[in-house]
Amino acid sequence: MKRTTLGAASVLALTAGVAHADYALTILHTNDFHARFEPISGYDSTCAEEDNAAGECFGGSARLVTAIEEARADSDNALLVDGGDQFQGTLFYTYYKGELAAEMMNKMGYDAMTVGNHEFDDGPEVLRGFVDAVEFPILMSNADISGEELLADAIQKSTIIEKNGERIGLIGLTPQDTDELASPGPNVTFTDPVAAVQGEVDKLTGEGVNKIVVLSHSGYGVDQRVAEETTGVDVIVGGHTNTLLGDMEDAVGPYPTMVGQTAIVSAYAYGKFLGELNVTFDDEGNVVSAEGQPNLLDAAVTEDQATKDRIGEAAEPLDEIRNEVVAESAAAIEGDRTVCRYGECEMGNLVADAMLDRVQDQGIDVAIANSGGLRASIDAGEVTMGEVLTVLPFQNTLSTFQVTGDTLVAALENGVSQIEDEAGRFPQVAGMAFTFDPEAEPGNRVSDVMIGGAPVEPDTTYGVVSNNYVRNGGDGYGMFVDAENAYDYGPDLADVTAEYLAENSPYEPYTDGRITEK
């Protein structure tokens, strides 16, 4: 099938058939919520209550409850679904696992959800507990779970939901490489998404269902391939790549993105938006109109007070985690910006070493951390999780990708390009060494780049780990945006650092000359 993208003229052409259609459905959707029960800042991280009161925050469960209620009030036929990855991302998940997510999703009245890769972060047991706690079906079509007794009778490939007298077929989809991204265990095998979806479409249509929605935690690119290479799919609700679709800034495509007659939608991540697609089907189940947008949950959306109170109550035990002793440090770990933004520093080495240690067995050669992400030092003695979170408060995740040696050198040049301004882009590194001359012209300051003890090769491809902020172009690292094999949704950087400290306790802070000034 030839891939086509629906433009304005096509929308009008489709809409012209509405008079003959007999079924309108509003699909409300979220994806990649990642335990953001509290409001988030404009940088997708924790937002202080005083900032929230000042109208500077987004999302949070209390706003989401209001937005869903208002959207339902505007539609007499709404379906609420989630594209996966409710798990992982804040202390709420660390403490409650899937329990609070289940409570909130039940409160909001979700109709179905697909399994995201992070739903497997703590293995089948935690996922099963979540499945048992929710009051709606959890779907996953492209996995053989018959050998995993915890899941075999708990997760369906597809389901049928009746809305206003019509049957809607829902199919779940999970990343094919989930076994590399999470911890599903040896008894779960993931398969090709196209074949899996087509198999369920054929099953559903055989049962007389002609309106089919795929809940796909597989990424925007895979969603387009599924739409192009299958028949019978009407709507794909996406997830996994945190894709924003629409006509707003930072959107990467239209909402919906049309591939043939299949409408693809996605609503970014972290509860910042509530997606709303209004779709009309004709008597044969063909999509004749599909339009809508992700609705921004900003200060204009009033927080539901009962939900806000409940999240506040749930937050109280998190202080126990913040006070948890995770390791000891033999000496103070220097992380002050006046040190780390001008050269190699102890905190930079700790964080970069921790990043590289976590993923080195995945073919990763070097780590790059932006010094602006290091917000404090740590005193000698006991190290608490609260201290680690003070150093790394942004809920950044590990990102792995591949670039050439030339690109790595360009990244280092960017990192030292504004050193005179104490810029947060200064690079802390592991697995590599370099020299810089702060007196030289920006773009020509870096020399003697070594990787694994050998000079960098301009045309050689290297595996890199950084954080999702840097990988997506933050702090001027735009050269990483188009990196190959990028995956931005690894574990939280604070968790990785805390675990590395624990493994090396008592930790000995150090510098070793990996960054030198000419």
Side-chain angles (χ1 to χ4, degrees):
M1 183 185 296
K2 183 178 179 181
R3 175 186 165 194
T4 58
T5 300
L6 193 68
S10 300
V11 171
L12 293 175
L14 282 181
T15 307
V18 171
H20 304 289
D22 67 344
Y23 188 71
L25 177 68
T26 298
I27 301 176
L28 306 175
H29 59 97
T30 54
N31 58 276
D32 299 277
F33 187 72
H34 287 298
R36 296 307 204 272
F37 302 103
E38 294 176 324
I40 59 172
S41 72
Y43 299 96
D44 300 334
S45 61
T46 302
C47 198
E49 181 54 37
E50 56 266 29
D51 295 330
N52 191 38
E56 299 174 2
C57 302
F58 304 87
S61 296
R63 278 195 185 87
L64 191 54
V65 165
T66 298
I68 290 169
E69 289 177 350
E70 292 177 349
R72 283 186 173 131
D74 291 337
S75 170
D76 59 1
N77 191 31
L79 179 75
L80 176 61
V81 294
D82 185 77
D85 271 8
Q86 283 281 327
F87 285 16
Q88 200 64 270
T90 71
L91 284 177
F92 284 102
Y93 177 75
T94 304
Y95 188 82
Y96 292 104
K97 300 304 178 185
E99 180 182 343
L100 190 59
E103 178 185 338
M104 287 295 114
M105 295 184 82
N106 287 340
K107 178 183 179 71
M108 295 174 199
Y110 276 81
D111 291 294
M113 172 187 169
T114 192
V115 179
N117 52 288
H118 281 290
E119 268 73 68
F120 279 108
D121 277 359
D122 287 287
E125 183 176 1
V126 171
L127 176 55
R128 177 57 188 261
F130 176 71
V131 173
D132 288 344
V134 298
E135 299 167 354
F136 50 85
I138 306 292
L139 308 174
M140 179 171 60
S141 65
N142 63 319
D144 180 357
I145 57 176
S146 59
E148 178 48 72
E149 61 181 16
L150 286 169
L151 300 177
D153 63 343
I155 295 176
Q156 308 169 54
K157 293 180 180 293
S158 63
T159 193
I160 300 171
I161 292 179
E162 186 171 312
K163 289 284 182 181
N164 272 15
E166 292 286 334
R167 295 191 301 163
I168 311 297
L170 300 174
I171 302 170
L173 202 55
T174 298
Q176 190 174 357
D177 59 348
T178 292
D179 59 331
E180 300 175 7
L181 305 176
S183 304
N187 303 321
V188 181
T189 304
F190 298 90
T191 61
D192 178 70
V194 171
V197 168
Q198 191 64 64
E200 291 307 299
V201 170
D202 295 345
K203 173 187 172 185
L204 292 167
T205 54
E207 297 176 17
V209 177
N210 62 11
K211 303 170 185 66
I212 295 176
V213 178
V214 175
L215 309 182
S216 172
H217 192 83
S218 295
Y220 188 46
V222 172
D223 292 345
Q224 292 173 80
R225 181 167 75 87
V226 169
E228 186 169 343
E229 297 179 13
T230 61
T231 58
V233 175
D234 297 303
V235 178
I236 298 177
V237 175
H240 190 49
T241 46
N242 295 22
T243 301
L244 178 62
L245 299 178
D247 58 4
M248 67 285 289
E249 186 179 359
D250 297 327
V252 301
Y255 183 105
T257 296
M258 297 299 297
V259 176
Q261 295 298 303
T262 302
I264 301 173
V265 295
S266 180
Y268 185 55
Y270 311 127
K272 191 173 185 177
F273 295 87
L274 174 65
E276 181 175 347
L277 178 72
N278 298 299
V279 58
T280 304
F281 300 88
D282 65 17
D283 292 336
E284 286 72 46
N286 300 307
V287 174
V288 294
S289 176
E291 55 190 355
Q293 64 182 1
N295 298 309
L296 180 64
L297 305 189
D298 59 10
V301 180
T302 303
E303 292 179 284
D304 176 74
Q305 190 60 49
T307 305
K308 185 178 177 68
D309 291 344
R310 173 68 186 108
I311 298 304
E313 178 186 15
E316 291 176 3
L318 302 187
D319 283 337
E320 297 178 19
I321 294 176
R322 297 183 178 106
N323 295 328
E324 177 189 358
V325 176
V326 296
E328 287 192 13
S329 182
I333 309 172
E334 178 61 75
D336 192 273
R337 60 186 291 154
T338 60
V339 179
C340 293
R341 298 188 182 197
Y342 290 96
E344 178 187 1
C345 71
E346 293 169 346
M347 190 66 73
N349 285 359
L350 165 61
V351 173
D353 287 351
M355 294 164 68
L356 185 58
D357 180 75
R358 175 60 70 95
V359 296
Q360 197 160 21
D361 62 355
Q362 300 175 23
I364 302 302
D365 302 294
V366 299
I368 296 181
N370 60 317
S371 292
L374 310 176
R375 312 302 291 189
S377 301
I378 291 178
D379 294 337
E382 291 183 343
V383 178
T384 66
M385 192 64 201
E387 287 181 289
V388 176
L389 289 165
T390 300
V391 174
L392 301 163
F394 297 115
Q395 297 168 359
N396 291 135
T397 54
L398 257 61
S399 293
T400 53
F401 52 97
Q402 292 178 313
V403 294
T404 64
D406 265 344
T407 301
L408 273 179
V409 173
L412 296 176
E413 288 284 6
N414 168 70
V416 300
S417 65
Q418 297 180 14
I419 189 171
E420 55 275 1
D421 298 324
E422 202 178 274
R425 65 186 57 196
F426 189 90
Q428 300 294 329
V429 301
M432 66 189 307
F434 69 94
T435 298
F436 71 97
D437 181 358
E439 301 302 322
E441 286 296 313
N444 193 35
R445 291 178 169 178
V446 172
S447 62
D448 303 318
V449 180
M450 305 288 285
I451 297 179
V456 63
E457 296 287 345
D459 297 325
T460 295
T461 297
Y462 296 95
V464 184
V465 61
S466 189
N467 62 61
N468 59 313
Y469 172 73
V470 167
R471 214 289 299 169
N472 284 281
D475 273 345
Y477 287 92
M479 67 291 299
F480 290 157
V481 171
D482 296 321
E484 295 181 358
N485 298 317
Y487 183 72
D488 296 331
Y489 314 111
D492 186 283
L493 181 54
D495 290 337
V496 169
T497 302
E499 290 166 16
Y500 183 80
L501 280 167
E503 292 166 3
N504 293 278
S505 182
Y507 180 75
E508 297 274 358
Y510 74 102
T511 57
D512 58 7
R514 63 185 68 177
I515 302 173
T516 56
E517 182 177 334
K518 183 175 290 185

